[in-house]
Amino acid sequence: MSEVVSGGVPFSTGVAAESLDAWAALLREQAPCGETAGALDDLQGELLSPRGRIDALAVVERHLAWLQAKQVELLALISGHTEGPSHGDVPAVGVDIDAVFLGEWDCAVEEVACALKLANSTAAQRLETARLLAGRHPATLGLLADGEISYQQARIVAEQCAGLAVEVAGEVERALVEKMPQQAAGQTRAAVRRQVLRVDPEGAEGRHQQRVRERKLLSYPQEDGMALFGAVLPAQRAAVMEQVVEAYAVGYGDDGRTLDQKRADALYDLVVEQRSGAPETRSRAAAVVHVTVPIDVLMGVDDGPGELKGYGPVTASQVRDLAFAAGTVWRRLLVQPASGLLVKSDPTTYKPTAETARHVIARDQYCAFPSCRMPASRCDLDHVRAFDHARPELGGPTTPENLQPLCRRHHRLKTHHPGWRVGRDVRTGAAVWTAPTGHTYVNTPPVYRE
């Protein structure tokens, strides 16, 4: 017995095992619905090929997003009961007590928390996210319902735009709605933040100043006798602190500790040992903080965002705070007008020059693998097309167009795994990865105009 789902994909509970791969691939292209959900049970993983299992996994993920969109719609209706009481009167005899509990007495958070077995704070967050998505971001909610984006992406849009006027929030959404299906959650977060800074620079500055006033230290106990210690402070200050700690940690030398261990110890030494007057004899590398900013923003002509390496978009005032700090060094980067990508040429030697390395790191900012957010400064610079050591002029030049930052794991994956391949579009800067299953995944570096 066969049926046809609304998207035109035939399915049958008695489908032959050899056709499951093709069926999974077809279902992957369909918007989720009740009929396709009913077919999920027949995607038996043990009967699928490795490629088919990836398709089936994507199908399941799209249906999870579809279900989460339905939950958002229900939560948005329930959130209407969280307005709070209009007065403090005790309900009169004969009044519908359920309406009072769900309305004037504002028990929706507790009801949702109990029904979904959540903490009250988590239930409240879900209710607020649902209210924002349903009321202000119908296009984003539509993408979620179609399985084109994840709930995490939808939540990012709602939360990042929550402080904006309705029409400004809509402008942010319209600028990003076509891009989000091709993005990972981290890329969506950076893109939303950048767009918010662009369309509402004055509001962004006001919100930033409010958060500056809320800066604080944090200390949380953890398991096994450990604790998490840190601070909430302006991003540009955090970037400077991180680089100072990094530079201090390098000075320990090769003493058997991992780099993470050295960083943690360096923070303690800088705060405690330096204050106590302990002598400092180790040489230290200079701390370097990278921020990329259009010249008109730097000069105060425009208040658009800049890019703080390792963090993402920041306000114009934060950029200027770093740019005009004592000892700051400026380096000019040329941008291709059509694509917004950095462009430059460099010699064809195997080891990149310092200028070439700076360029690639500034251009890509992160590891070029689609799902990785390792900062480019901590990555290897890999030749997309292998360098020809015997005759360098014939192939694999050491130019920005043929270099990409890869963290050590993804560098090894690309170099040593026989099934993974990568190419780079020199026009757009997009890295196109092909997996052993034959699926392709695209990573596009940040652009400096949108």
Side-chain angles (χ1 to χ4, degrees):
M1 177 179 177
S2 297
E3 301 179 50
V4 177
V5 303
S6 59
V9 179
F11 70 91
S12 166
T13 55
V15 66
E18 60 268 18
S19 66
L20 279 179
D21 276 6
W23 186 19
L26 286 172
L27 282 175
R28 185 177 184 177
E29 301 303 318
Q30 301 298 306
C33 62
E35 291 84 357
T36 57
L40 295 181
D41 245 3
D42 293 325
L43 292 177
Q44 301 175 48
E46 64 273 14
L47 299 179
L48 291 163
S49 70
R51 179 184 177 90
R53 289 169 187 158
I54 294 295
D55 285 327
L57 181 67
V59 170
V60 172
E61 185 68 17
R62 292 194 69 173
H63 282 79
L64 285 174
W66 171 67
L67 288 171
Q68 286 171 316
K70 289 190 171 299
Q71 187 183 71
V72 164
E73 292 168 357
L74 288 170
L75 287 168
L77 293 172
I78 294 171
S79 73
H81 300 305
T82 64
E83 297 295 332
S86 57
H87 54 78
D89 296 340
V90 176
V93 175
V95 172
D96 184 348
I97 195 67
D98 288 338
V100 172
F101 267 71
L102 285 177
E104 293 186 355
W105 285 11
D106 191 10
C107 292
V109 169
E110 284 74 16
E111 180 78 11
V112 170
C114 291
L116 301 184
K117 298 180 177 64
L118 300 172
N120 272 21
S121 59
T122 304
Q125 177 269 315
R126 286 204 193 177
L127 282 163
E128 178 63 8
T129 298
R131 184 186 69 81
L132 292 168
L133 285 173
R136 292 157 57 104
H137 301 289
T140 299
L141 185 55
L143 289 176
L144 184 65
D146 288 341
E148 295 289 339
I149 62 173
S150 67
Y151 175 75
Q152 187 177 0
Q153 289 175 281
R155 177 182 169 183
I156 287 168
V157 172
E159 291 181 349
Q160 294 284 333
C161 296
L164 303 177
V166 173
E167 60 274 13
V168 179
E171 185 179 347
V172 171
E173 181 183 56
R174 286 190 294 275
L176 299 173
V177 68
E178 292 184 3
K179 303 175 184 177
M180 283 194 290
Q182 288 79 46
Q183 293 174 330
Q187 293 171 318
T188 295
R189 183 179 298 278
V192 173
R193 188 187 299 150
R194 187 181 304 112
Q195 195 64 30
V196 167
L197 292 174
R198 181 170 286 112
V199 303
D200 186 31
E202 291 184 5
E205 179 62 23
R207 291 187 294 273
H208 169 63
Q209 292 303 328
Q210 176 59 35
R211 293 298 302 276
V212 169
R213 289 189 287 272
E214 296 170 355
R215 62 192 182 277
K216 57 186 176 181
L217 277 180
L218 300 173
S219 183
Y220 297 118
Q222 293 195 322
E223 293 77 18
D224 304 317
M226 302 298 286
L228 174 66
F229 178 84
V232 178
L233 71 168
Q236 72 272 23
R237 290 189 177 184
V240 172
M241 289 179 63
E242 182 180 10
Q243 292 305 313
V244 169
V245 169
E246 185 87 10
Y248 197 94
V250 170
Y252 288 127
D254 186 7
D255 59 5
R257 286 178 289 180
T258 67
L259 185 54
D260 278 336
Q261 290 170 339
K262 291 177 182 178
R263 290 181 184 126
D265 295 345
L267 178 60
Y268 179 85
D269 288 347
L270 282 165
V271 174
V272 178
E273 299 298 337
Q274 292 276 31
R275 181 173 176 81
S276 65
E280 175 52 45
T281 59
R282 293 181 295 270
S283 61
R284 299 296 173 197
V288 180
V289 178
H290 292 274
V291 60
T292 306
V293 55
I295 189 66
D296 52 353
V297 173
L298 192 64
M299 296 294 100
V301 177
D302 184 71
D303 283 326
E307 292 283 332
L308 179 61
K309 191 185 75 173
Y311 177 81
V314 292
T315 66
S317 70
Q318 291 176 278
V319 167
R320 295 177 194 126
D321 184 32
L322 284 171
F324 293 103
T328 295
V329 176
W330 293 7
R331 291 191 177 96
R332 183 178 61 183
L333 300 174
L334 303 180
V335 175
Q336 188 178 59
S339 67
L341 295 174
L342 295 177
V343 292
K344 196 171 288 188
S345 59
D346 278 292
T348 54
T349 56
Y350 179 68
K351 185 177 180 179
T353 64
E355 184 182 14
T356 299
R358 284 195 300 268
H359 169 70
V360 174
I361 290 169
R363 180 195 67 197
D364 289 1
Q365 298 188 30
Y366 299 98
C367 172
F369 193 79
S371 62
C372 187
R373 298 290 284 177
M374 176 69 75
S377 58
R378 297 182 184 176
C379 293
D380 302 329
L381 293 187
D382 168 68
H383 288 74
V384 179
R385 186 158 58 97
F387 183 81
D388 190 331
H389 288 271
R391 304 183 66 181
E393 70 279 3
L394 295 183
T398 308
T399 60
E401 293 76 20
N402 192 47
L403 290 173
Q404 61 184 352
L406 292 179
C407 70
R408 187 55 54 87
R409 172 179 173 81
H410 293 127
H411 193 174
R412 288 171 176 165
L413 185 78
K414 179 253 186 185
T415 304
H416 301 296
H417 196 292
W420 282 94
R421 304 187 308 278
V422 63
R424 186 176 184 276
D425 187 321
V426 296
R427 183 180 60 84
T428 65
V432 182
W433 290 77
T434 302
T437 58
H439 295 98
T440 58
Y441 305 96
V442 179
N443 181 70
T444 304
V447 296
Y448 292 92
R449 56 147 202 87
E450 289 186 14

